[in-house]
């Protein structure tokens, strides 16, 4: 009766304290995921019903009544940072240092989730920021990947179908089949080399296996996050010219063969030393399959060169092109802006120079610069790699902070220009600082016409060289390694 009332209230108070302690222990043990992973019988429901403490049952004389203030059931967190917010909301007694730690952890989690941000709050990007930038039109790039996958599947299926049509009933069919298969395999190898650059798996693995070329300069340790540049592929200049020559040559052969078949269909075959059944069944079928495959490759290559190999011209010869202010260039009026572009030729040339000098090449620094002017890069590797926001953060840091480094000399380099305007390279001397690339990585949204950029985050690779050259760790003040 009345004598047991104080005992009941004291027992309820003790149960509430034990329950709070158990709740805090469970949340800490589950790594701030208490709202997702706790068992149903460990905590009370939203109405306050059920056992207050599983290991402390209420005595029989205590009636089970709903508590005056039932704690609300926390909503499932959208990410790991939300678990910290839920923990702070359901533990009012964890004040002081614990609250400070909880708030700092929440802020840190929010920063780790927010990978991309708007470049400007006003909506328009100024000209100096675009002078040296690599822009990824990410919505169009995603659609481009789907289109390339369809075209690649058509080309691959056509090549497989062609192999099932060969025959060897006589010497003419055998010779025609051999030549036809050889041409198709050459075309498919030519196409596969382009399509392989759209798969960034190799680029990701190579960048993880390389090490940044850090060094010392004027007694200071210089960080050089250039391993994402060293992993990029290079090709010799004239790649587009060679591709055009191959395609035009095979297209001319197809046209010539169709002229011969048409003449035989019209009965003008008296002057052609060909078998009588050349225009009946076998030969026109193979020719049609080969023509279709060549047509698919032409479409693929035209889209590839238009979308990936673009350096935007300056607007009125002065300001870098900005789709927020300037009209679409004439060459892109029909099909819209490409999926990626460099805003200036200077940024494109400097990126080629940084990559060429950082990769293993034979010859002096002057030879390195000459090769850089003749080399071509594959920007689609960077663009597709940057679609992963965490990878985009690291790539942005690499494009901004990479130093001009010569792997042959093991030293940081600087560009020079003689009196007659000839550019050159030399090692950094005393009192000079390494030159950074300073190319901005930007995302462009073609629906809202806004620019965004990844956060500048970076972490070093997990693979390191066993031994470096002594020149790379030189402590002489006149040389920077």
């Amino acid at each position: 009766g009345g004598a047991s009332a104080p005992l009941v209230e004291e027992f309820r108070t003790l149960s509430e304290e034990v329950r709070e302690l158990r709740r805090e222990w469970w949340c800490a043990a589950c790594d701030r995921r208490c709202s997702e992973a706790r068992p149903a019988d460990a905590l009370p429901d939203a109405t306050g019903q059920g056992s207050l403490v599983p290991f402390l049952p209420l005595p029989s004389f205590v009636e089970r009544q709903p508590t005056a203030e039932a704690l609300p059931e926390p909503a499932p967190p959208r990410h790991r940072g939300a678990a910290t917010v839920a923990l702070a909301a359901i533990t009012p007694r964890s004040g002081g240092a614990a609250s400070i730690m909880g708030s700092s952890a929440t802020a840190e989690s929010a920063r780790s989730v927010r990978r991309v941000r708007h470049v400007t709050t006003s909506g328009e990007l100024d000209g100096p920021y675009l002078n040296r930038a690599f822009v990824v039109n990410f919505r169009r790039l995603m659609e481009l990947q789907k289109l390339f996958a369809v075209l690649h599947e058509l080309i691959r299926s056509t090549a497989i179908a062609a192999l099932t049509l060969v025959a060897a009933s006589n010497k003419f069919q055998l010779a025609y089949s051999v030549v036809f298969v050889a041409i198709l395999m050459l075309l498919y190898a030519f196409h596969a080399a382009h399509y392989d650059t759209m798969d960034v798996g190799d680029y990701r693995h190579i960048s993880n296996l390389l090490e940044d070329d850090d060094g010392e300069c004027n007694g200071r340790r210089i960080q050089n996050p250039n391993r994402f540049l060293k992993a990029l592929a290079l090709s010799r200049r004239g790649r587009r010219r060679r591709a055009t020559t191959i395609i035009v040559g095979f297209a001319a052969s197809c046209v010539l063969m169709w002229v011969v078949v048409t003449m035989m269909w019209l009965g003008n075959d008296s002057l052609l030393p060909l078998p009588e059944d050349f225009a009946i069944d076998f030969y026109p079928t193979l020719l049609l399959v080969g023509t279709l495959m060549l047509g698919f490759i032409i479409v693929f290559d035209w889209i590839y060169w238009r979308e990936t190999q673009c350096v935007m011209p300056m607007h009125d010869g002065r300001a870098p092109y900005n789709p927020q202010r300037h009209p679409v260039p004439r060459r892109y009026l029909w099909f819209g802006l490409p999926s990626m572009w460099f805003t200036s030729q200077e940024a494109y040339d400097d990126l080629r120079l940084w990559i060429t000098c950082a990769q293993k090449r034979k010859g002096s620094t002057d030879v390195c610069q000459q090769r850089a002017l003749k080399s071509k890069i594959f920007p689609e590797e960077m663009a597709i790699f940057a679609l992963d926001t965490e990878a985009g953060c690291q790539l942005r840091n690499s494009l901004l902070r990479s130093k001009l480094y010569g792997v042959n000399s093991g030293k940081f380099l600087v560009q020079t220009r003689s009196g007659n305007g000839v550019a050159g390279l030399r090692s950094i001397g005393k009192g000079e600082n390494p030159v950074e690339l300073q190319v901005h990585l930007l995302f462009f949204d073609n629906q809202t016409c806004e620019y965004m950029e990844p956060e500048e985050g970076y972490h070093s690779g997990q693979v390191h060289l066993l031994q470096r050259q002594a020149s790379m760790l030189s402590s002489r003040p006149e040389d920077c390694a």
Side-chain angles (χ1 to χ4, degrees), residues 175-420:
Y176 192 84
S177 298
V178 171
V179 174
F180 178 78
V181 170
I183 292 176
L184 254 63
M185 292 299 101
L186 182 61
L187 284 175
Y188 186 79
F190 171 76
H191 158 74
H194 279 180
Y195 186 73
D196 184 64
T197 60
M198 304 297 294
D199 182 12
V200 297
D202 293 342
Y203 175 67
R204 189 185 303 274
H205 294 321
I206 293 175
S207 62
N208 289 333
L209 292 174
L210 294 177
E211 185 184 18
D212 296 327
D213 291 322
D214 299 337
E216 292 187 1
C217 181
N218 295 319
R220 296 185 296 110
R221 185 69 178 174
I222 303 297
Q223 293 184 350
N224 184 20
N226 67 340
R227 60 189 177 96
F228 289 100
L229 302 186
K230 295 194 296 182
L232 290 170
L234 285 176
S235 69
R236 291 180 299 173
R237 192 179 181 88
R239 185 163 50 104
R240 184 178 303 184
R241 183 173 60 252
R242 291 193 301 270
T244 304
T245 302
I246 293 174
I247 290 178
V248 169
F250 285 127
S253 301
C254 284
V255 171
L256 179 61
M257 295 302 297
W258 277 115
V259 170
V260 172
V261 170
T262 304
M263 291 178 61
M264 297 190 70
W265 284 344
L266 297 176
N268 301 326
D269 57 346
S270 58
L271 301 178
L272 299 175
L274 296 173
E276 298 180 356
D277 61 342
F278 185 81
I280 297 178
D281 185 18
F282 170 71
Y283 301 100
T285 302
L286 284 185
L287 182 59
L288 177 61
V289 173
T291 305
L292 290 175
M293 182 173 178
L294 180 62
F296 292 144
I297 291 178
I298 290 175
V299 173
F300 182 95
D301 283 1
W302 180 81
I303 298 176
Y304 171 83
W305 288 108
R306 181 193 183 277
E307 296 289 332
T308 64
Q309 305 291 322
C310 176
V311 178
M312 281 293 183
M314 291 288 181
H315 181 71
D316 295 335
R318 299 186 303 271
Y321 173 74
N322 186 355
Q324 295 175 333
R325 302 177 181 178
H326 307 142
V328 178
R330 183 175 302 177
R331 71 178 77 171
Y332 301 112
L333 281 177
W334 283 18
F335 301 102
L337 293 173
S339 58
M340 64 196 75
W341 66 84
F342 288 91
T343 57
S344 66
Q345 187 67 40
E346 179 187 9
Y348 179 72
D349 292 339
D350 284 350
L351 180 59
R352 289 189 299 172
L353 178 62
W354 258 249
I355 296 172
T356 306
C357 292
Q359 293 184 0
K360 185 63 175 178
R361 302 285 182 181
K362 296 181 180 179
S364 60
T365 55
D366 294 335
V367 175
C368 176
Q369 187 168 23
Q370 294 175 4
R371 287 176 175 172
L373 296 177
K374 299 179 180 180
S375 299
K376 303 288 287 186
I377 63 175
F378 300 91
E380 62 271 19
E381 290 183 324
M382 296 189 298
I384 299 176
F385 182 75
L387 292 180
D388 181 3
T389 53
E390 183 176 356
C393 295
Q394 300 192 64
L395 182 61
R396 181 204 173 205
N397 186 281
S398 185
L399 290 174
L400 277 176
R401 308 304 177 192
S402 293
K403 280 73 176 178
L404 183 55
Y405 179 85
V407 70
N408 293 329
S409 61
K411 300 177 181 179
F412 293 112
L413 306 175
V414 64
Q415 293 177 285
T416 59
R417 191 170 295 276
S418 59
N420 54 4

Side-chain angles (χ1 to χ4, degrees), residues 21-178:
L21 292 175
R22 180 172 175 80
R23 188 195 301 271
E24 294 177 7
W25 171 84
W26 179 264
C27 293
C30 294
D31 190 18
R32 301 194 306 270
R33 295 187 183 180
C34 57
S35 60
E36 294 180 344
R38 72 177 188 272
D41 59 344
L43 294 175
D45 53 18
T47 61
Q49 301 294 334
S51 177
L52 294 177
V53 183
F55 53 86
L56 243 172
L58 290 174
S60 58
F61 59 87
V62 179
E63 298 181 359
R64 298 183 179 271
Q65 300 177 356
T67 57
E69 297 181 1
L71 293 174
E73 183 73 14
R78 297 179 60 184
H79 50 75
R80 292 177 60 94
T84 309
V85 179
L87 177 60
I90 65 176
T91 54
R93 303 188 180 186
S94 56
S99 300
I100 297 175
M101 294 177 62
S103 60
S104 62
T106 305
E108 183 65 28
S109 301
R111 287 194 296 269
S112 63
V113 172
R114 186 169 175 264
R115 301 289 188 184
V116 181
R117 61 182 176 87
H118 289 279
V119 177
T120 60
T121 56
S122 60
E124 290 191 357
L125 201 61
D126 55 352
Y129 201 90
L130 286 174
N131 282 333
R132 299 173 61 87
F134 175 60
V135 182
V136 180
N137 190 355
F138 62 91
R139 292 184 188 270
R140 188 179 181 94
L141 179 58
M142 293 177 185
E143 296 297 329
L144 180 68
Q145 289 181 281
K146 300 175 185 178
L147 177 61
F148 277 170
V150 172
L151 289 175
H152 175 71
E153 187 64 25
L154 287 174
I155 295 172
R156 189 178 69 89
S157 301
T158 305
I160 294 175
L163 295 178
T164 64
L165 298 175
V166 297
S169 299
N170 52 58
K171 60 181 180 180
F172 294 103
Q173 288 188 356
L174 177 61
Y176 192 84
S177 298
V178 171

